[in-house]
Amino acid sequence: MTLGWFSIVRLGLVQMALGAIVVLTTSTLNRLMVVEMALPAVLPGLLVALHYVIQITRPNWGFLSDTGGQRTRWIIGGMGILALGGFGAAIGVVLFAENWSAGLAVSIVSYALIGLGVGASGTSLLALLATATEPRRRAAAATITWLMMIFGIAVTAGTVGAFLDPYSPALLLRIVGVVTVGACVLTTLAVWGIESRLGAPAPVADPPRFIDGLREIWAERAARNFTIFVGLSMTAYFMQELILEPYAGLVFGLTPGQSTQLSGAQNGGVFLGMLTVGIAATGLSLGSLRTWVVAGCLGSAVSLCAITLIGNLALGVALLPAVIGLGVFNGMFAVAAIGSMMALAGEGRTAREGTRMGLWGAAQAIAAGFGGLLGAAAVDMLRTGLPDTTAFGAVFLAEAALFLFAALLALRVIAHRRSASAAPLVPGE
């Protein structure tokens, strides 16, 4: 038995809940630390990098769900850990204003929990989708679930931004509390009973060692090359994540609420870009996934150059359209890459879908942490001798160059698959 469209949408709600919590740490809390508390950008950069480094455990989570015969428990349990870490991160921000050491200690523990929660829940969810979705529906399933995740990110960022002004620590904790509790409830309701109806496989009687399973996957040339592509492209994707809101605040004078809404607009653009690929590639069979990956990388590079130029010319009115454009092309790249990932997950040795997704998830997480930290550290270093506009612009241009290189690499490592093999987005088919 395989997943129907309704069940795929239900699992997409889990992705939406994941995005809703994570966006608070990468946008709102990051902005508060850098601008309101005047902390160096490298501090939230290191904290976010920590939660990504912890996700190096993703292959292990995937292997456990492959051999344990039950993924639902990891999805729900991981979300609970993520919610605890998200609320703890908000407490850490509040504590920074009163006791720097206490704030740092709480933040370190909280961001470690965030990494564990995302790794356990997200990897198990993707493994369930990869194993229980018909091959012809995998690209469509990737599109649906990631659209829902970006929708959750965009709505959360926009809503939090609207309610956060005027900022106060008590208001921040109330808002984060509502988001984290809501995410846990939504996840439990969304995933409950799906795996049991599918007839989950029994646990493996004599499972191989994790390291042996990982070596089997790494020996597959397609999986190894795709891992390298994921690492490079995601470094480019995440370099601006921790510096865009501080850029908006320091260069254009936006308030915390306004910069959070800007982040929401960017993620709204990501949603639009993903929807475009979902309709054009998956629904209308226009272009291959590789073509959309390359187009997204090239468009992202152009958008970053535009954002740099806008800062140098002080054209504040053009910032929002440029950021939305960056989001659109980021979305095109991301969903096409995820579709390729879903297609590859079911190829090669069977009963290793979770391990493959975990390997690529770990590569993405390490690249995301490295990219975010690299961007934040570079801005801190350049701001010591350059104006804010020039410092941020230099990092944006470096990110654009990485996107160009990622586009070239995609032409080599992603097969020229037409999306016509994917099922149309029509419920009940």
Side-chain angles (χ1 to χ4, degrees):
M1 187 174 179
T2 58
L3 291 171
W5 291 118
F6 180 67
S7 295
I8 290 172
V9 171
R10 284 181 60 186
L11 294 178
L13 292 172
V14 180
Q15 285 285 79
M16 188 168 70
L18 279 167
I21 296 178
V22 172
V23 73
L24 294 175
T25 64
T26 58
S27 62
T28 306
L29 302 184
N30 168 62
R31 151 72 199 237
L32 291 172
M33 282 189 272
V34 174
V35 179
E36 272 61 40
M37 299 178 182
L39 297 172
V42 72
L43 177 59
L46 285 169
L47 290 172
V48 172
L50 171 63
H51 110 262
Y52 283 125
V53 168
I54 294 294
Q55 290 183 56
I56 199 172
T57 59
R58 274 180 175 264
N60 211 327
W61 294 118
F63 182 77
L64 287 172
S65 65
D66 281 339
T67 58
Q70 176 62 265
R71 305 190 197 271
T72 299
R73 60 181 175 180
W74 301 114
I75 295 173
I76 296 176
M79 184 61 68
I81 296 172
L82 172 59
L84 182 62
F87 190 73
I91 294 175
V93 169
V94 173
L95 286 176
F96 270 119
E98 301 175 2
N99 188 315
W100 195 90
S101 299
L104 181 62
V106 170
S107 296
I108 290 174
V109 173
S110 298
Y111 278 82
L113 290 175
I114 290 170
L116 288 173
V118 171
S121 187
T123 304
S124 300
L125 175 70
L126 293 176
L128 178 58
L129 279 168
T131 54
T133 304
E134 291 182 48
R136 70 189 185 95
R137 290 182 170 179
R138 283 174 181 161
T143 301
I144 291 171
T145 53
W146 248 259
L147 281 173
M148 294 179 71
M149 182 184 72
I150 297 303
F151 178 76
I153 291 173
V155 169
T156 302
T159 303
V160 169
F163 282 97
L164 193 57
D165 286 336
Y167 167 74
S168 72
L171 178 60
L172 174 68
L173 293 179
R174 285 199 299 271
I175 291 174
V176 174
V178 169
V179 172
T180 52
V181 171
C184 288
V185 173
L186 181 62
T187 295
T188 302
L189 294 176
V191 76
W192 197 263
I194 287 181
E195 195 171 18
S196 61
R197 286 196 296 273
L198 291 173
V204 177
D206 187 21
R209 295 185 307 163
F210 164 68
I211 190 64
D212 293 332
L214 190 60
R215 283 172 179 162
E216 290 172 353
I217 301 304
W218 190 251
E220 299 172 0
R221 181 178 179 182
R224 184 172 63 251
N225 288 344
F226 194 77
T227 303
I228 297 170
F229 164 74
V230 168
L232 176 68
S233 61
M234 287 301 168
T235 297
Y237 187 93
F238 283 97
M239 271 186 70
Q240 53 77 35
E241 184 178 38
L242 298 180
I243 62 175
L244 186 59
E245 283 202 49
Y247 175 69
L250 293 170
V251 176
F252 296 95
L254 272 61
T255 67
Q258 289 173 329
S259 65
T260 299
Q261 288 177 318
L262 182 70
S263 178
Q266 179 193 7
N267 286 297
V270 173
F271 180 86
L272 180 60
M274 288 186 168
L275 185 61
T276 299
V277 175
I279 294 174
T282 304
L284 303 177
S285 298
L286 297 177
S288 66
L289 291 174
R290 183 175 69 177
T291 300
W292 287 104
V293 167
V294 172
C297 288
L298 295 178
S300 296
V302 172
S303 298
L304 286 162
C305 292
I307 290 173
T308 301
L309 182 62
I310 288 167
N312 288 324
L313 298 178
L315 296 175
V317 69
L319 180 62
L320 179 61
V323 168
I324 293 175
L326 175 63
V328 170
F329 288 111
N330 279 177
M332 288 182 180
F333 150 73
V335 78
I338 293 161
S340 300
M341 187 184 300
M342 291 285 289
L344 280 170
E347 298 179 4
R349 184 184 177 91
T350 59
R352 292 291 184 271
E353 294 87 351
T355 309
R356 288 190 192 91
M357 296 303 292
L359 175 62
W360 297 329
Q364 175 185 334
I366 293 170
F370 174 73
L373 179 60
L374 177 63
V379 163
D380 277 344
M381 181 181 67
L382 292 174
R383 286 179 66 200
T384 61
L386 296 172
D388 288 342
T389 301
T390 306
F392 281 97
V395 177
F396 291 145
L397 291 177
E399 183 181 1
L402 281 180
F403 265 120
L404 292 176
F405 190 61
L408 294 175
L409 188 59
L411 292 172
R412 296 178 59 87
V413 304
I414 299 179
H416 188 71
R417 290 185 176 89
R418 300 290 298 183
S419 297
S421 61
L425 301 178
V426 180
E429 290 198 6

